[in-house]
Every structure is written in C-alpha cells, then in structure tokens.
Amino acid sequence: MSIKSLPERGRAYCRGYVSAITVVPANDPPRFTAVVEDSTAAYRENPLVPRAKVRLVWVGQRRVPGIEAGTYLAFEGMVSNVDGRPTIFNPRYEIIGRPEADA
C-alpha cells in the first residue's frame, strides 16, 4: 500500500523513507516523531505535486535506534487523522537495507 492510499482510519502496512524527525525538549514527555514520505509516488517526476506523508509517533521514546532522516522502512499500525495528517502511534517497523551495490 502506498502512503497516498492510506485509509483515514484503520490498520495499514506501508513503506517509505524518513524525510524528517522531531525530538522533543528534555522537559517535555518523551515522544519521538518521524515523517515518512511515499517512495513510489509520481511526485519525484514533478516537484509541484504535493508529497504524500504519514507521521509515525513513538510515545515514551526519546530516540528510536536506526530511525533517522533518509532511512527506508516498512511500518504497520493503526492510522488515525491528527491535525489533518495521517498518524500512526507506536508502529511496528522494519528498517529496509540497501543492496551492497547501492551503498
């Protein structure tokens, strides 16, 4: 399933790359947020087309090992709409490695 076709509510399994992460200040409750963009979208050919994005939020975590900008991953969880953006709280995820030829 592509990020563009995520349901407004319900379970979803998808892949994409991390375009941004947010780390909250030390005095805020722990939360780690990553914005993931669709890796198969046609917007790569036309930069004027808005990018499909989903927000992944790990509650109680200040850091998630291996998750940083540019990481390609598969993720699964319950989608909900928060502030107009599809959001998945505490998703299951798998970091997808690049083939050695691409490294």
Side-chain angles (χ1 to χ4, degrees):
M1 171 182 294
S2 71
I3 292 173
K4 188 169 149 183
S5 63
L6 283 174
E8 192 166 319
R9 298 192 78 138
R11 182 160 291 282
Y13 176 82
C14 204
R15 292 178 179 221
Y17 70 93
V18 178
S19 61
I21 61 168
T22 303
V23 180
V24 296
N27 56 351
D28 284 358
R31 181 178 70 244
F32 183 79
T33 303
V35 176
V36 179
E37 294 186 8
D38 201 342
S39 61
T40 59
Y43 69 81
R44 293 189 184 281
E45 297 167 9
N46 183 355
L48 301 177
V49 175
R51 299 174 180 179
K53 298 178 183 181
V54 62
R55 182 185 304 130
L56 306 180
V57 180
W58 286 268
V59 179
Q61 301 287 326
R62 292 214 179 269
R63 197 88 187 114
V64 177
I67 304 290
E68 56 190 39
T71 302
Y72 185 67
L73 52 98
F75 55 92
E76 177 180 16
M78 294 298 288
V79 180
S80 59
N81 194 337
V82 178
D83 297 330
R85 175 169 290 168
T87 303
I88 300 176
F89 289 94
N90 297 321
R92 291 178 162 216
Y93 70 96
E94 177 183 357
I95 296 172
I96 309 294
R98 296 181 303 189
E100 288 186 30
D102 293 345

